Amino acid sequence: MEKLTACFEISSDSIKVLIGYELGGQPVVLYRTQTTLPGLVKEGQIIDPNGLIRALAELHTVDDAAARLRISISEVCLILPPIGLVVYESDKTTNVVSPTNEIAKIDFSNVVSLVRKEPIPGGNTIIDIIPDEFVLDDGSRYANPPLGVKSTSLSIRAKIHALPETVASTYNRLISQAGFRVKKASVSIYCIAELFKTYNDLPKSYILVDMGARLTAVALIGEGSPYSSASFYSGGDDLTEDIATAFDCAFAAAEKLKCEYGYREKLRDYEPPLPVELDHMPTTIYYQKELNEVIKNHFESYVAVLGNAVASLLGKYGNRFDTLPIVFTGGASRLKGIEKFLAAAFPKREIYFPFPRSIGARDPSYSALLGLLLTSGKYVGSLEDNYHGMGAVSRVNNKEKSKKAHSSPDNDAL
């Protein structure tokens, strides 16, 4: 049995857990679950930290009698929201320690430490270091750490993901107070991009739009790697609230209407009434056309904000990326009829709606967790000292350059 990894994601209204491993460059899901906590996070702030700690503490043991599965969890990999994310480039070099010039694990630790020690401006802190390549003294380049190869020096060219200290420390502290150790933390858009790298039918360079319950993240992805990002507070739950208000029904009833009916452009001559579940005597009968109107009004506002975010993200590149495709994901990407509104807002761009292909987690809301499962084991045996060891998840049952701020892709990169 492969070594298992537990991945957590805390969103506006839930804690998602995915447990599995990487095999042949693909995530293998053993177990997933979701704990719903309405109003847990609002605009990046955790509203009920004590409630979150209690809910997290209940996840130390996953016990599924039907699947004959019992899993004990002591440390986790954690998804962080991309609120305030800044991407930097770094190019560092260290001398190889061995007198025989054979590159060893300590050389990787040394060169990564050089990256980690450089101060990050603006009150941000390093979340992740993503090696693009390793370069030796003869100019040879390696995608993975070249253990045992001879060279007098080892250079690393990497991207640094940094978040505001307050965001990173809050999530890590609460996970720790719940009794877990964070093995690795990564930003959601990076993990999603890593997952989509494995899908050959998706573009390698695109605009990623991850629409969650209350947060939409937008990122410029070049050759599978995030270069810059923006985010705004609007998502699928906001549409649900609009439906609940318009139909005078409970949030749960509105969510059901949204998911089961959505927007349907072609209406029949006779449309039966929608089965709106009310807690009071109905005074109005609602039809698909009324639901269409609510969804239409919501998305007219949503795509205007999304368009501004995309324009802001690409503004410094002029019109070079006017036709860059959009890859749309997140739990809200399942909404029926959403393609119509995005196509109208971005007529020059091809739009993709990929669903995860991993058995056991084919819901788009699990895209980031699947990507984290893939990335959690990268560079194990060479860079793991920077993550303080491996996970303790078990299955119980049978030449130096300064850092460059805001890495900028060029035409070749995209």
Side-chain angles (χ1 to χ4, degrees):
M1 180 69 186
E2 298 287 340
K3 189 173 184 64
L4 301 180
T5 299
C7 301
F8 284 14
E9 181 175 17
I10 301 167
S11 63
S12 66
D13 60 355
S14 68
I15 305 168
K16 295 187 185 71
V17 179
L18 188 145
I19 299 171
Y21 54 92
E22 180 269 340
L23 181 65
Q26 296 294 328
V28 178
V29 177
L30 183 65
Y31 184 83
R32 74 174 172 107
T33 188
Q34 180 172 339
T35 301
T36 301
L37 295 170
L40 177 61
V41 180
K42 183 177 181 181
E43 296 189 354
Q45 301 297 316
I46 295 176
I47 304 303
D48 183 11
N50 292 328
L52 173 59
I53 292 170
R54 288 193 296 270
L56 286 168
E58 294 179 359
L59 297 171
H60 278 285
T61 300
V62 173
D63 198 344
D64 189 329
R68 300 172 59 192
L69 189 65
R70 182 180 174 85
I71 303 174
S72 299
I73 306 172
S74 62
E75 70 178 18
V76 302
C77 294
L78 180 64
I79 291 287
L80 292 175
I83 301 169
L85 173 67
V86 183
V87 181
Y88 300 90
E89 286 184 323
S90 184
D91 187 345
K92 298 294 181 185
T93 301
T94 188
N95 292 325
V96 173
V97 173
S98 170
T100 63
N101 294 333
E102 288 188 0
I103 297 173
K105 176 181 171 181
I106 189 172
D107 299 308
F108 298 112
S109 295
N110 288 343
V111 76
V112 171
S113 293
L114 291 176
V115 178
R116 285 190 176 274
K117 288 176 181 177
E118 197 165 348
I120 300 294
N124 292 328
T125 186
I126 294 176
I127 299 301
D128 217 347
I129 297 174
I130 315 299
D132 287 328
E133 63 179 1
F134 299 93
V135 185
L136 306 188
D137 57 6
D138 62 357
S140 56
R141 303 166 186 270
Y142 294 80
N144 297 307
L147 276 170
V149 180
K150 288 189 175 184
S151 176
T152 59
S153 65
L154 174 67
S155 297
I156 185 172
R157 293 175 180 169
K159 291 186 179 68
I160 300 171
H161 296 168
L163 287 177
E165 171 64 32
T166 52
V167 174
S169 62
T170 297
Y171 282 83
N172 279 281
R173 184 182 70 253
L174 293 173
I175 291 288
S176 177
Q177 289 176 350
F180 296 97
R181 186 160 65 91
V182 178
K183 169 191 168 185
K184 179 179 175 65
S186 292
V187 181
S188 60
I189 58 172
Y190 163 68
C191 295
I192 295 171
E194 286 295 301
L195 175 68
F196 290 166
K197 270 187 188 178
T198 67
Y199 297 169
N200 294 329
D201 56 341
L202 290 182
K204 300 304 179 187
S205 298
Y206 53 90
I207 300 164
L208 173 65
V209 179
D210 177 28
M211 185 180 182
R214 298 285 184 180
L215 178 72
T216 295
V218 187
L220 173 60
I221 309 295
E223 288 300 316
S225 180
Y227 278 84
S228 56
S229 74
S231 58
F232 57 93
Y233 296 110
S234 182
D237 281 1
D238 297 282
L239 172 58
T240 303
E241 287 184 347
D242 284 356
I243 296 171
T245 299
F247 285 15
D248 190 25
C249 64
F251 185 91
E255 180 73 9
K256 185 175 181 181
L257 288 173
K258 181 185 76 174
C259 295
E260 293 188 7
Y261 293 87
Y263 183 92
R264 196 172 75 242
E265 193 168 8
K266 294 182 179 180
L267 299 179
R268 294 166 292 190
D269 291 336
Y270 172 74
E271 286 285 339
L274 292 174
V276 182
E277 299 173 7
L278 300 174
D279 295 328
H280 51 79
M281 289 297 293
T283 58
T284 305
I285 297 175
Y286 297 102
Y287 294 88
Q288 181 69 49
K289 64 179 181 179
E290 280 87 15
L291 181 59
N292 281 0
E293 189 66 19
V294 175
I295 295 173
K296 174 178 176 292
N297 291 338
H298 176 88
F299 271 100
E300 284 179 349
S301 298
Y302 177 84
V303 296
V305 178
L306 177 60
N308 288 336
V310 172
S312 175
L313 208 61
L314 302 181
K316 62 182 176 180
Y317 304 111
N319 59 0
R320 286 160 40 190
F321 304 134
D322 279 357
T323 59
L324 202 64
I326 291 175
V327 175
F328 200 92
T329 189
S333 67
R334 297 172 296 173
L335 178 71
K336 295 181 179 71
I338 194 173
E339 300 92 341
K340 167 187 171 63
F341 305 105
L342 291 173
F346 303 98
K348 295 181 180 179
R349 303 185 189 278
E350 191 171 2
I351 303 175
Y352 297 80
F353 293 86
F355 273 57
R357 300 163 192 180
S358 302
I359 296 174
R362 288 181 170 164
D363 187 322
S365 66
Y366 281 86
S367 295
L369 286 166
L370 289 166
L372 182 59
L373 195 62
L374 285 177
T375 65
S376 62
K378 280 193 173 183
Y379 309 109
V380 167
S382 57
L383 301 183
E384 77 274 14
D385 286 345
N386 296 288
Y387 302 122
H388 311 291
M390 292 301 297
V393 182
S394 60
R395 179 175 180 175
V396 182
N397 188 44
N398 301 334
K399 302 174 190 169
E400 182 174 325
K401 297 181 181 179
S402 296
K403 188 181 306 164
K404 306 172 192 175
H406 305 281
S407 64
S408 299
D410 53 26
N411 283 321
D412 292 333
L414 293 175

